Amino acid sequence: MELRMTTTFPDISISTERLVLRPYEESDILAHTEMMNDEMVVAWTSVPHPYTTADSEEWVRRIAPARRGEGRGVVLAVTEFLTQRLVGTIDLRNTDWRTRATEVAYVTAPWARGEGYATESVLAVAQWLFRDQHFERLELRTPADNTASQQVAQKIGCISEGVLRNAWIARTQTEDGGWTDIRTDLIVWSLLPEDLEGAADQVADTGYSSFTDWN
């Protein structure tokens, strides 16, 4: 019987010009709860709604650390370098260590949108994945009408590969202020190491530095 070592991502922090991407901390719970209750997040993701403090505690204390510990991916809190405010989250999941491929999902807090933070953070993670971790493929899946998410994919140089028909359940607000499920298509995007060359030129100040926390 062949013995395989469990493969996991390192306990990493990644810095860009404006952002620090790091593991979640207890102090993020309140801001994370607020961010996940935003209407755009409710509409396009599958997070619980309403998103409670208990949901946030579960995410910070158990779900996020387990993602890395079990080798399935890594979750990073995206914070502003200057203010240390939580601006979003980056979630690498469905990692295949044999093909060196993983899927990325991201959320940006409503107050931080329009600043290019999602593009900057996903690009930094892609650079780290390809250069430091020797990955060969990064995949994104965006609901068909989520144009903001698709713009991020385009800005970092992703190639649209096709449509997964009827593959996602989004949510839309009803007249009484509630939410109802709607089926939608997913657009599949991919980024390969060679795709990054052009993207890095288009997005200014994308240089990143990373350090591993051993403690």
Side-chain angles (χ1 to χ4, degrees):
M1 181 178 169
E2 185 183 356
L3 291 174
R4 291 176 179 266
M5 285 179 62
T6 303
T7 311
T8 56
F9 287 115
D11 193 7
I12 192 77
S13 292
I14 299 171
S15 297
T16 70
E17 188 78 12
R18 302 181 295 169
L19 304 170
V20 177
L21 287 61
R22 55 156 176 79
Y24 267 86
E25 300 169 355
E26 290 282 317
S27 58
D28 299 319
I29 287 172
L30 181 61
H32 182 78
T33 307
E34 288 180 10
M35 178 171 71
M36 301 314 266
N37 277 303
D38 173 65
E39 289 180 0
M40 292 280 284
V41 178
V42 177
W44 297 122
T45 73
S46 58
V47 298
H49 182 71
Y51 197 91
T52 65
T53 303
D55 290 324
S56 212
E57 289 168 348
E58 174 85 344
W59 174 258
V60 170
R61 295 171 185 167
R62 190 189 66 81
I63 298 172
R67 182 73 49 85
R68 190 183 76 82
E70 295 167 5
R72 292 181 286 117
V74 67
V75 173
L76 296 170
V78 181
T79 62
E80 270 188 333
F81 175 72
L82 290 176
T83 65
Q84 299 183 2
R85 288 180 74 184
L86 183 73
V87 303
T89 187
I90 294 273
D91 184 3
L92 294 182
R93 55 201 186 190
N94 301 325
T95 304
D96 186 326
W97 290 96
R98 183 174 172 273
T99 60
R100 310 298 283 191
T102 191
E103 182 184 337
V104 66
Y106 42 87
V107 167
T108 304
W111 65 267
R113 289 177 192 147
E115 299 292 330
Y117 284 154
T119 302
E120 187 172 323
S121 56
V122 176
L123 193 55
V125 167
Q127 290 172 329
W128 168 74
L129 269 174
F130 294 153
R131 295 172 190 175
D132 292 15
Q133 301 298 304
H134 309 294
F135 265 58
E136 295 293 336
R137 175 180 169 88
L138 182 62
E139 187 173 300
L140 289 79
R141 298 183 175 197
T142 61
D145 291 328
N146 189 349
T147 52
S149 189
Q150 289 161 31
Q151 285 170 354
V152 172
Q154 290 168 334
K155 283 177 184 172
I156 66 171
C158 288
I159 303 299
S160 172
E161 292 185 333
V163 176
L164 299 175
R165 297 185 303 156
N166 229 23
W168 189 247
I169 296 176
R171 289 176 279 211
T172 187
Q173 216 156 7
T174 54
E175 287 183 9
D176 62 4
W179 292 88
T180 186
D181 290 347
I182 49 167
R183 293 205 72 96
T184 184
D185 299 341
L186 282 176
I187 301 173
V188 181
W189 306 80
S190 70
L191 190 69
L192 306 184
E194 56 264 32
D195 299 331
L196 265 190
E197 304 309 317
D201 297 335
Q202 293 171 27
V203 184
D205 299 323
T206 53
Y208 79 101
S209 57
S210 63
F211 59 90
T212 304
D213 299 324
W214 298 107
N215 48 343

